[in-house]
């Protein structure tokens, strides 16, 4: 079994009772809302990752204002030629604030739309588990920087 590690950084951006989300498009065409953010490039700092990814996915300049915590997930999934991968995702979650830019959709990326959603409507959206993790970290601000939620339900590479 092949081991795969993916480190990513995300922003929980809440303004005027609304949450900024990006809609992720899975390989099978399924669309679910997620936090703006994504995978770190080699040598990149997580702070810089979340700034870059948020701009790519939403058009906004997002300033990370607080480190909310970390989320670690692990799952096995099939790979080509009948093999399997042992996937480990480490997600760095920041609170973010919009400081500039204009809302727009990403083109030629892993998301196809960005939008503000009322906080009370988020539980009814088709979304990845990371959204719930991020909201819980934002609301509770646990001292240890992690939630007690079960692992998020997103496939590898979707978060």
């Amino acid at each position: 079994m092949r081991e795969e590690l993916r480190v990513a950084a995300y922003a929980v951006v809440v303004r005027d009772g609304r949450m900024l989300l990006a809609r992720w498009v899975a390989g099978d065409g399924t669309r679910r809302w997620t936090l703006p953010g994504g995978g770190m490039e080699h040598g990149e700092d997580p702070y810089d990752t979340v700034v870059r990814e948020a701009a790519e996915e939403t058009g906004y300049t997002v300033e990370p204002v607080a480190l909310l915590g970390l989320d670690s997930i692990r799952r096995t999934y099939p790979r080509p030629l009948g093999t399997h991968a042992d996937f480990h995702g480490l997600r760095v979650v920041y609170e973010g604030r919009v400081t500039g830019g204009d809302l727009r959709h990403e083109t030629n990326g892993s998301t196809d739309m960005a939008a503000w959603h009322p906080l009370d409507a988020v539980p009814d959206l088709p979304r990845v588990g990371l959204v719930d993790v991020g909201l819980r970290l934002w609301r509770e601000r646990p001292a240890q920087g992690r939630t007690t939620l079960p692992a998020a339900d997103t496939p590898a590479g979707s978060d």
Side-chain angles (χ1 to χ4, degrees):
M1 187 171 301
R2 179 179 168 178
E3 293 179 351
E4 294 181 4
L5 173 65
R6 182 174 189 265
V7 181
Y10 298 89
V12 175
V13 181
V14 177
R15 181 172 72 185
D16 301 326
R18 298 178 303 151
M19 183 176 198
L20 179 63
L21 297 173
R23 192 170 67 177
W24 171 70
V25 182
D28 66 1
T30 304
R31 288 168 166 75
R32 293 187 287 169
W33 293 99
T34 189
L35 299 178
M40 284 178 48
E41 295 177 359
H42 182 77
E44 188 176 37
D45 185 275
Y47 184 100
D48 298 326
T49 299
V50 76
V51 170
R52 174 181 55 78
E53 287 281 347
E56 289 173 6
E57 293 178 355
T58 70
Y60 286 127
T61 302
V62 172
E63 176 189 19
V65 295
L67 176 63
L68 296 175
L70 302 173
D71 183 53
S72 181
I73 60 168
R74 191 171 176 191
R75 69 179 52 87
T76 301
Y77 69 94
R79 300 278 298 159
L81 305 175
T83 62
H84 286 81
D86 178 1
F87 175 81
H88 181 194
L90 178 64
R91 288 101 62 101
V92 180
V93 182
Y94 292 94
E95 177 179 14
R97 172 179 65 185
V98 173
T99 61
D102 295 305
L103 183 65
R104 63 148 177 77
H105 307 313
E106 182 177 27
T107 55
N108 301 316
S110 60
T111 65
D112 70 345
M113 183 181 289
W116 291 96
H117 298 274
L119 281 170
D120 60 357
V122 170
D124 296 325
L125 294 172
R127 67 196 184 286
V128 300
L130 179 61
V131 173
D132 297 328
V133 169
L135 268 175
R136 189 156 181 189
L137 286 168
W138 178 76
R139 286 180 173 134
E140 297 178 7
R141 300 184 184 267
Q144 73 278 20
R146 62 181 282 195
T147 71
T148 55
L149 287 176
D153 60 354
T154 56
S158 67
D159 42 16

